[in-house]
């Protein structure tokens, strides 16, 4: 799925324009990025956890020449789906609080 396809689905599902859906998605992305830079972790209950992890420097190989190269250490974002979402391609059914 592409970003534009996701925006279309959000717009249709929420009954809003694609421009508003795009703005919402951009705001979500900016907020997640800001929080990860600030605290290094973001937990979305019922969805999963984003966290920043450090990768150690390591040695790799240039696939074209086979020559050894040094890959520097860096920080990367890791996502772990919640237990309810693991192994389930479909979202869990919503519970109606009125019952």
């Amino acid at each position: 799925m592409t970003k534009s396809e996701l925006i279309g689905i959000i717009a249709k599902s929420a009954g809003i324009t694609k421009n508003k859906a795009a703005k919402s998605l951009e705001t979500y992305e900016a907020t997640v990025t800001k929080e990860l830079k600030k605290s290094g972790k973001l937990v979305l209950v019922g969805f999963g956890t984003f966290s920043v992890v450090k990768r150690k420097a390591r040695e790799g190989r240039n696939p074209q020449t086979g020559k050894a190269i040094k890959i520097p250490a860096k920080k990367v974002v890791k996502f772990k789906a919640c237990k309810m979402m693991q192994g389930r391609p479909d979202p869990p059914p919503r519970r109606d609080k009125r019952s």
Side-chain angles (χ1 to χ4, degrees):
M1 174 182 292
T2 65
K3 187 174 181 177
S4 61
E5 290 171 336
L6 178 59
I7 289 169
I9 291 170
I10 292 170
K12 186 175 180 182
S13 172
I16 58 177
T17 66
K18 286 186 179 182
N19 286 337
K20 287 183 180 180
K23 181 68 176 166
S24 297
L25 186 58
E26 289 169 9
T27 302
Y28 168 77
E29 291 171 343
T31 304
V32 168
T33 302
K34 183 178 177 182
E35 184 61 29
L36 287 174
K37 284 182 180 180
K38 184 174 106 179
S39 68
K41 190 171 187 180
L42 174 68
V43 180
L44 299 173
V45 178
F47 184 66
T49 303
F50 292 94
S51 60
V52 176
V53 294
K54 293 180 183 177
R55 281 197 183 160
K56 294 180 182 179
R58 63 190 198 276
E59 191 173 288
R61 298 248 174 233
N62 180 331
Q64 291 180 338
T65 64
K67 186 177 179 182
I69 57 172
K70 291 185 179 183
I71 302 170
K74 65 179 178 177
K75 293 179 181 180
V76 295
V77 176
K78 181 175 96 173
F79 176 75
K80 182 173 182 187
C82 73
K83 289 182 182 180
M84 190 168 40
M85 294 288 288
Q86 291 177 353
R88 283 180 63 159
D90 298 326
R94 292 189 171 224
R95 295 183 185 156
D96 189 4
K97 292 186 179 185
R98 289 181 269 163
S99 0

